[in-house]
Amino acid sequence: MKKAILLLISCFLVIEAYAQDSTSYRSSIKVMYGSAAPTGEFGENRFENDYPPFAAFGSMLSLSYSYSIKPKLQVGGTVALRRNGFEETEFANPNDRIVGTIESEAWQSVFTMADVQYKWYARDGFFYVKGGAGLSFNRSLSYKVQTLFGPINRPTDNSTALAYGINTGMQFDIKRVGLGFDGGWLATSPTFSITDAHGKTTKYKQPMATINLSFYLAYSL
Amino acid sequence: MKAKLLPCLILLLFILGSCHTKTDDYISKYCPGSCTVIKGKLTTDDRSKPLAGVMLEAKWVERDMLGFSSTTRRKATARTDANGNYELRFLLRDDELPQEYNYGNIIVEAHLDTKDYLICSGTNELFYSNDLVRDTTIEVNYNLPKKATINLQATNLETMQPTDNLYTGINSDAGDATKENDCVGGIIWSKYQSYYSLDVAANQDLTIRVVKNKAGIETVTEEIVRLKPGEKLHYQITF
């Protein structure tokens, strides 16, 4: 146990010793792209619910800016676009002879977030933990499923909501350019309206949380 | 040779036991046309109070003769509104329509705790049918009272002769609302058992009817009781 603690302390000392190069830049921008896996109620399709999410495994593209206010502490902002398509096979069996063509538009969210990031420097990069909060501008899933008995429509709606998230990752630096891997959780919970074929309008709150795994490219200014 | 039969039997049971499939039929749930509709109202107590917020589920269930395999398709769900009204709208598939050698049934279940509510079948099943068709609406109303218990005890049964008999009946108004008091709880007493417990409806007037046939003379007594939900009444009958 003592050996392990000593080893850990030694590692941190080495990391601190090599931290000078990375800390010399005050700000950075990064472009990130990766997966967005629905989780919680966004990932569950309960038959009892009037409108299950049918959210498929999706993707997220984000652009971040960070500015150092202390050697290890940065503040900044992120703009992100997240899309999760229609999980068609959950809705209808692909071999269902009743079902014809399926057209759909994905769940879509644009996030504008303010971030706080804390870094632990390594010899050739750093680890970080980042938290953020802001607003999300969301568009709900829509689909039109043709069947032998007529179409099934789910119209779309737009809604704005608070958003929050937490990320962690690591970045490898080559001079001003950095390559990194990021893992995080991003959530929002907008309220949408939907009008069914009988003219009945229902409001429903849709938690939209995803677990995101991304690679990114960063540039230090 | 005998020793090899047991693994074969276990394998056979495993194969047969693994044939239960359950699917969610969203095409049926969002019925695009030619819908079958089951609608009605749920009440409780003595039909005076609507039963709001109860989840109802329609499903198609087909079982083989021995129950080793089954297919269950969830067809629709609905929740009763403040007035107890519900509407289950779904699309029947071709293999769910009435036809020869169709062993499937459309079943409507209430998501209620049968420990608290008296559903006469003893299960959550309210309705079943194997002859529903498309483009049709049927109305079914149900009364689902809360449950109470009457613990019946008969005394002096040892004097019962072979020609004598003693019957106790308590009818609750539970289930299909087109029929009154059709949830029958009845006991034909014998000298070998002097105690029975019956689940009955709470918040209803219940008639405890005792028919005694002793030495060729029949006497009938009736007493009306009303129990609160969860109440247990001890009731004694003397032969």
Side-chain angles (χ1 to χ4, degrees):
Chain A
M1 185 64 183
K2 274 183 183 176
K3 275 186 182 176
I5 292 167
L6 284 171
L7 189 66
L8 200 63
I9 290 168
S10 307
C11 283
F12 277 116
L13 289 174
V14 170
I15 287 167
E16 289 293 330
Y18 285 99
Q20 295 305 312
D21 289 345
S22 298
T23 54
S24 57
Y25 304 113
R26 293 299 301 257
S27 61
S28 72
I29 54 170
K30 65 182 176 186
V31 179
M32 197 180 311
Y33 183 74
S35 64
T39 185
E41 289 180 44
F42 196 40
E44 280 181 0
N45 297 311
R46 294 170 63 86
F47 192 74
E48 296 84 359
N49 289 357
D50 286 343
Y51 298 101
F54 299 113
F57 194 82
S59 60
M60 191 166 80
L61 175 70
S62 67
L63 180 68
S64 296
Y65 173 79
S66 65
Y67 182 82
S68 293
I69 52 171
K70 286 186 177 177
K72 292 182 178 179
L73 193 66
Q74 290 80 43
V75 292
T78 297
V79 178
L81 171 69
R82 185 181 72 183
R83 287 169 65 90
N84 290 90
F86 178 35
E87 201 172 32
E88 291 178 16
T89 53
E90 186 75 16
F91 186 85
N93 187 320
N95 300 319
D96 193 337
R97 63 168 205 86
I98 289 179
V99 179
T101 57
I102 298 177
E103 295 167 31
S104 65
E105 285 219 56
W107 292 99
Q108 182 172 287
S109 298
V110 175
F111 295 90
T112 53
M113 313 272 282
D115 306 319
V116 179
Q117 180 175 274
Y118 189 85
K119 286 180 181 176
W120 287 273
Y121 287 99
R123 180 177 179 176
D124 48 3
F126 57 86
F127 300 93
Y128 64 89
V129 174
K130 189 168 86 172
L135 286 176
S136 66
F137 305 92
N138 308 282
R139 184 189 73 191
S140 67
L141 171 80
S142 67
Y143 53 73
K144 186 171 187 178
V145 179
Q146 295 291 351
T147 75
L148 292 178
F149 297 89
I152 299 172
N153 286 312
R154 176 163 167 174
T156 192
D157 190 29
N158 297 310
S159 177
T160 303
L162 290 173
Y164 41 91
I166 188 161
N167 301 56
T168 185
M170 64 178 84
Q171 180 173 318
F172 169 70
D173 287 324
I174 311 161
K175 296 189 176 174
R176 285 176 176 270
V177 177
L179 292 170
F181 176 76
D182 181 280
W185 175 82
L186 183 59
T188 185
S189 195
T191 300
F192 295 109
S193 289
I194 194 164
T195 303
D196 66 15
H198 311 288
K200 184 186 162 198
T201 301
T202 309
K203 279 195 170 189
Y204 66 103
K205 200 174 181 73
Q206 178 62 64
M208 295 171 68
T210 54
I211 291 173
N212 312 299
L213 296 174
S214 309
F215 286 100
Y216 68 83
L217 188 65
Y219 186 79
S220 298
L221 304 169
Chain B
M1 187 63 189
K2 280 181 185 173
K4 289 180 181 173
L5 284 178
L6 185 61
C8 290
L9 185 63
I10 291 168
L11 184 66
L12 190 64
L13 283 173
F14 178 78
I15 291 166
L16 293 173
S18 63
C19 293
H20 298 281
T21 58
K22 192 172 181 180
T23 53
D24 293 338
D25 188 351
Y26 285 102
I27 303 296
S28 163
K29 175 178 172 164
Y30 300 115
C31 182
S34 302
C35 308
T36 304
V37 179
I38 301 175
K39 65 178 189 178
K41 182 172 184 169
L42 297 192
T43 53
T44 190
D45 296 346
D46 50 1
R47 304 190 187 193
S48 58
K49 194 175 166 188
L51 200 52
V54 177
M55 176 64 78
L56 294 168
E57 180 180 322
K59 58 188 184 183
W60 184 75
V61 181
E62 185 180 37
R63 296 186 183 95
D64 71 353
M65 303 279 277
L66 299 172
F68 280 120
S69 67
S70 68
T71 303
T72 302
R73 280 184 211 139
R74 300 170 86 193
K75 303 295 292 178
T77 57
R79 199 174 280 279
T80 55
D81 64 15
N83 298 316
N85 295 316
Y86 72 93
E87 182 176 295
L88 289 158
R89 179 180 291 268
F90 50 92
L91 174 67
L92 286 169
R93 290 171 179 272
D94 289 350
D95 62 346
E96 296 162 0
L97 293 169
Q99 56 194 298
E100 206 175 357
Y101 306 117
N102 181 357
Y103 301 111
N105 284 298
I106 288 289
I107 293 170
V108 175
E109 280 185 354
H111 290 205
L112 276 176
D113 194 340
T114 52
K115 279 185 276 181
D116 296 330
Y117 286 87
L118 183 70
I119 303 179
C120 218
S121 63
T123 68
N124 289 65
E125 224 171 274
L126 298 182
F127 167 88
Y128 72 91
S129 173
N130 62 358
D131 56 3
L132 287 181
V133 291
R134 291 181 188 137
D135 285 312
T136 189
T137 300
I138 60 168
E139 189 168 339
V140 200
N141 303 313
Y142 300 95
N143 191 48
L144 303 172
K146 286 199 170 161
K147 204 183 261 187
T149 308
I150 297 182
N151 296 320
L152 294 160
Q153 185 156 29
T155 57
N156 206 28
L157 290 177
E158 64 278 4
T159 63
M160 197 181 265
Q161 299 302 309
T163 54
D164 296 340
N165 57 62
L166 178 65
Y167 170 80
T168 306
I170 307 165
N171 294 6
S172 298
D173 182 14
D176 186 346
T178 55
K179 301 162 190 167
E180 280 193 23
N181 297 324
D182 65 331
C183 187
V184 181
I187 295 158
I188 299 169
W189 296 92
S190 75
K191 61 172 69 176
Y192 306 108
Q193 188 165 353
S194 60
Y195 180 85
Y196 281 96
S197 183
L198 280 182
D199 288 331
V200 295
N203 293 336
Q204 281 183 15
D205 288 339
L206 302 171
T207 303
I208 303 176
R209 182 181 163 87
V210 179
V211 181
K212 193 189 303 182
N213 200 326
K214 192 172 186 178
I217 301 165
E218 184 178 277
T219 51
V220 179
T221 57
E222 289 186 342
E223 187 179 348
I224 293 172
V225 296
R226 192 179 179 94
L227 306 183
K228 289 177 184 160
E231 187 177 344
K232 288 185 165 88
L233 175 74
H234 184 78
Y235 193 85
Q236 192 164 309
I237 301 150
T238 305
F239 182 70

